Amino acid sequence: METNTSRKGNPLWNTLASIKLAVFLFITLAVTSIIGTLIPQGEADQFYLERYGQDLFKIISTLRLNDTYHAWWFVSLLLLFSLNLVVCTINRFPVTLRIFKRDSLSCGPDYLSRLQLKKEWVLKDKEADLDPILNSFKNAAGIPKERDTGDRRLYLVEKGKWSYWGVYGLHSSIIIIFIGALVGLFWGFKGYVELFEGETTDHVINRSTFEDIPLGFDVRCDKFAVDFYDNGAPKRYVSDLTILENGKEVLHKSIMVNSPLTYKGVTFYQASYNSIPEVNLHIIASNGRQGSLTVPAMERVAWPEGRLSVGIIQYLPSIHGEPAAQVWAASPNGEADTVWLLKGHERELSLGGNTYKISLVDAKNRYMTGLQVKKDPGVWIVWLGCTALILGFIVVFWVAHSRIWLWIGQKNGKMTVLLAGQANKNQLAFEKDFTKIREAVERAIGDKA
């Protein structure tokens, strides 16, 4: 008791135990979470600069609203709210324990007579048989606890006494959810990866830091397909993925939007796609050598026989109805030049003392699947907390502690039967139950009163 009193005298303790603080933190967390949902997370600075302008970008950057849930102030709010819940729980615990240990069989007729729900009968005969009355009470109310003090007997049917602990389950569930969220924040990741058909990777890119994240296994894109509406908008895209462990296929699944693949806690979501042009070139060198090259975008392709390297700088799918590409070419001595090629039209290029006739034979787009990759080891902890939260709400708001007493004894020199009841919530339902019990007892008393 001294410890509890000394705590109440501590300003810091009182602040942490404040309900006002709890409400403030709860609202602040809710508002900041909404802001973190509205502002895209984990994008590059240039994205926020272009989308929100210089002034808002400074605010977003300073407050780390581009990574809200990892920001120090958000984590601090979570920890402070958890501490607030713990302190409130400790403060409330002695009161709850006292209520829980309260002896409800220690009350007498004076106390019971002051309750709102009560009914009293005075029996005509002091020696009346009380067994029918007691049996009707048991049948209607349940098996009672009993205390016999000689000339007085008190019966008690008590339900839902444990419900006082529901609030502690509620508080604990919120803390469990916070713990799960923190586990996900610090030991999980959100990444992305783009794969061509047939391409395999053992890592993804962190969306926040752009660093490589090892997966611990390989994922291969076997096939990617995309369908389009008549207006050119994507209608449906599907990736056939295979998981490999030590070179062996262990899992295969076709994924699409809202149908991800999960392996070892890592989930792959079909998020986007990208198209990369690929051109076929035919080259004839002045020394008589000729060859055909397939040149994907963003790649440098060597043609050793012709002592030439080529790459694509720019690709246009239709110029006068034909594809065109700006091609870069370089000789081994570092001499380089560029030329625009239109399908069906040959161009000449001179490099390193040689002349090359280059023509664009064909061109197409290669599609690559875009996958969002997420690992959240705290998700099951969050689910556990959510389940406990729901159960806690049910207990706190719907499970009542009800007590129904039947007192039989001498009062003012007359044999008296007193029925009384009390519940701490759900009064309407309790009054219906009490009425049924009162009517049952009343029928048993009959003409004895």
Side-chain angles (χ1 to χ4, degrees), residues 11 57 61 252 267:
F57 171 72
S61 179
H252 176 82
T267 302

Side-chain angles (χ1 to χ4, degrees), residues 407-419:
W407 182 87
I408 301 175
Q410 293 287 336
K411 185 178 179 184
N412 299 324
K414 298 179 180 178
M415 179 59 70
T416 304
V417 176
L418 175 58
L419 180 71

Side-chain angles (χ1 to χ4, degrees), residues 5-72:
T5 304
S6 61
R7 285 173 183 161
K8 289 182 178 179
N10 187 317
L12 178 59
W13 183 269
N14 291 337
T15 301
L16 291 174
S18 169
I19 298 299
K20 292 181 181 178
L21 176 65
V23 173
F24 169 77
L25 291 172
F26 185 80
I27 293 175
T28 304
L29 283 169
V31 171
T32 52
S33 296
I34 292 173
I35 294 173
T37 303
L38 295 177
I39 297 177
Q41 302 288 289
E43 301 291 344
D45 289 348
Q46 188 64 28
F47 170 83
Y48 300 101
L49 193 59
E50 294 175 354
R51 183 165 182 170
Y52 298 105
Q54 185 69 32
D55 294 336
L56 282 177
F57 171 72
K58 288 181 179 177
I59 296 174
I60 291 172
S61 179
T62 302
L63 297 179
R64 287 192 63 189
L65 294 176
N66 57 335
D67 192 17
T68 302
Y69 308 112
H70 290 88
W72 65 268

Side-chain angles (χ1 to χ4, degrees), residues 78-79 81-83 85-86 89 166-185 187 376-392:
L78 288 178
L79 294 176
F81 190 41
S82 300
L83 184 60
L85 288 176
V86 170
T89 301
V167 67
Y168 296 96
L170 197 62
H171 287 182
S172 300
S173 67
I174 295 173
I175 294 175
I176 290 172
I177 291 173
F178 288 166
I179 292 174
L182 292 175
V183 169
L185 285 175
W187 284 279
D376 187 355
V379 65
W380 291 109
I381 301 176
V382 172
W383 277 114
L384 175 64
C386 289
T387 302
L389 183 69
I390 293 172
L391 294 176

